[in-house]
Structure formats: C-alpha cells, structure tokens
C-alpha cells in the first residue's frame, strides 16, 4: 500500500496537467466505448487497449456480469449503461471476459459459497444461462469455454435493455465480445460465426 500511496502523492508531479490533453478533460468526457469487464486486478482496460484518459468508460464487477433488465432495486450496472448511452452517446460497448477468472472458476467447480453470500447471489445471475457450458467445459484451468460463453450470454442480456436495443435497431451502437488471456496478453474477438479469434494488428 505504501508504494501505491507514494505514487498517488507524486501523481501531480508526474503528469503535465497544463497540457492540452488534460485541460480538455476538465471540460467534459467523450469516451469512445463502454468497456464492461471483470474487477480482476490483472485486467486493466487502459493497458489492454492503450486508451488515454477520457477514451473509455469503464464498468467493472466480478465476472463482467450484466444484470437482467428490470431487476429489482438500484443497479450500478444498469445506471452505468444508461448513462453511457443516453448522456455520453457511446457508440460501442465491449464485454471483455478473461482467462483464469475466479468468478467463472467458482461457477465451474460448484464451490460452496455460503461464506460469501454476496458473491453467491451475484453469480446466480450468470449460472442459469451458463449451465450447458459448465457441464461441457474442459478442465483447462484458464476456463476459456466458460469465460467466452459468459461473454456471449452477457451480450445477449445487454440486448434486452431498451436503451441498447433502440440504438442497435437504429444502427447507432455496436456490441463487441472479447476474451483476454491473462498469461499471454492475447485478445480474442467474437465473430459473426460465434467463435473467438485472435487478430494480429
């Protein structure tokens, strides 16, 4: 923690806040994409994409799960999606799963989560649609089948949000599915045939 605190204290000295780039940030944000991914500390959207401050709007939670539209109670996920589209006018949404995901691992192994009731309740949102994948997935510890299946499912949930559906129907929004390999840095992109492929730039 000391190293993090030291870097936070010196941040102002390490960055030129008088530059044009940083002056523009004070005027407002105009991100290109909403990036929905896991809270896992190894998954860093700006590092993966090379995004500069202000370029991506992030939504992170355990397992990159999108709650069903109309779920009871307040939802930070629903609020973030709504704000990104209605206020910021984002035209691309990326749902990015990743290898070695603890949330997906818990679902695959059927871990007893009674000591983690919040985690258990949260993962229940993803479990039903993932059931076929969970039973058929290989024993690969990186869990590609489960994590990729979850990305596909969360994209389907996104499409049930009226604000998403309206923009898709109007050609004003694009959805993207990604799978990030923590150990290799490769990004696999979901294609029209339902397969994830690596594209080298």
């Amino acid at each position: 923690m000391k190293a993090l605190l030291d870097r936070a204290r010196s941040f102002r000295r390490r960055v030129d806040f008088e530059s044009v780039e940083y002056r523009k940030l004070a005027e407002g944000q105009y991100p290109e994409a909403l990036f929905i991914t896991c809270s896992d500390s190894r998954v860093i959207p700006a590092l993966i994409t090379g995004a500069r401050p202000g370029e991506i709007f992030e939504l992170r939670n355990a397992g990159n799960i999108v709650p069903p539209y109309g779920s009871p109670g307040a939802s930070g996920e629903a609020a973030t999606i709504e704000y990104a589209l209605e206020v910021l006018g984002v035209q691309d949404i990326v749902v990015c799963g990743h290898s070695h995901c603890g949330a997906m691992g818990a679902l695959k192994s059927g871990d007893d989560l009674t000591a983690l009731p919040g985690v258990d309740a949260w993962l229940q949102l993803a479990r039903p649609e993932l059931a076929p994948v969970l039973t058929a997935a290989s024993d690969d510890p990186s869990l590609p089948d489960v994590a990729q299946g979850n990305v596909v499912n969360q994209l389907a949930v996104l499409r049930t949000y009226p604000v998403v559906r309206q923009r898709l129907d109007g050609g004003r929004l694009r959805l993207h599915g990604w799978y990030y390999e923590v150990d290799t840095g490769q990004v696999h992109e979901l294609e029209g045939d339902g397969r994830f492929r690596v594209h080298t730039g």
Side-chain angles (χ1 to χ4, degrees):
M1 186 62 200
K2 184 180 183 307
L4 295 176
L5 185 56
D6 287 345
R7 289 196 294 270
R9 288 171 174 163
S10 66
F11 181 57
R12 178 68 182 85
R13 294 193 304 274
R14 291 183 285 114
V15 176
D16 180 10
F17 281 93
E18 296 303 316
S19 68
V20 172
E21 178 184 17
Y22 276 91
R23 282 179 177 270
K24 283 185 178 178
L25 293 178
E27 298 169 7
Q29 60 171 323
Y30 308 95
E32 296 177 21
L34 168 61
F35 201 96
I36 302 173
T37 194
C38 189
S39 301
D40 192 300
S41 61
R42 300 165 295 180
V43 181
I44 307 168
L47 186 63
I48 295 167
T49 63
R52 302 289 300 158
E55 290 184 342
I56 54 176
F57 197 59
E58 295 183 23
L59 170 53
R60 303 184 67 169
N61 62 44
N64 43 271
I65 293 170
V66 178
Y69 176 73
S71 297
S75 164
E77 289 76 18
T80 301
I81 292 163
E82 185 178 276
Y83 189 84
L85 297 177
E86 294 281 21
V87 178
L88 300 178
V90 163
Q91 296 184 352
D92 290 272
I93 300 178
V94 176
V95 176
C96 181
H98 69 96
S99 68
H100 305 87
C101 179
M104 296 302 105
L107 286 171
K108 175 70 171 75
S109 65
D111 290 349
D112 179 4
L113 298 174
T114 52
L116 301 168
V119 173
D120 190 37
W122 180 248
L123 293 182
Q124 290 301 331
L125 296 176
R127 189 186 305 277
E129 295 302 320
L130 269 180
V133 180
L134 293 174
T135 56
S138 68
D139 291 328
D140 185 336
S142 68
L143 303 164
D145 302 340
V146 180
Q148 291 175 12
N150 186 51
V151 168
V152 172
N153 292 341
Q154 300 316 313
L155 288 168
V157 175
L158 266 176
R159 291 185 184 95
T160 69
Y161 281 62
V163 67
V164 171
R165 193 168 56 247
Q166 290 163 9
R167 281 164 174 72
L168 287 172
D169 292 345
R172 295 177 291 146
L173 179 66
R174 294 171 296 270
L175 300 182
H176 311 269
W178 290 6
Y179 169 72
Y180 171 67
E181 288 185 348
V182 170
D183 52 331
T184 68
Q186 287 188 318
V187 175
H188 303 243
E189 299 172 48
L190 178 62
E191 299 189 344
D193 62 1
R195 296 176 180 270
F196 285 79
R197 292 187 176 86
V198 175
H199 293 270
T200 55

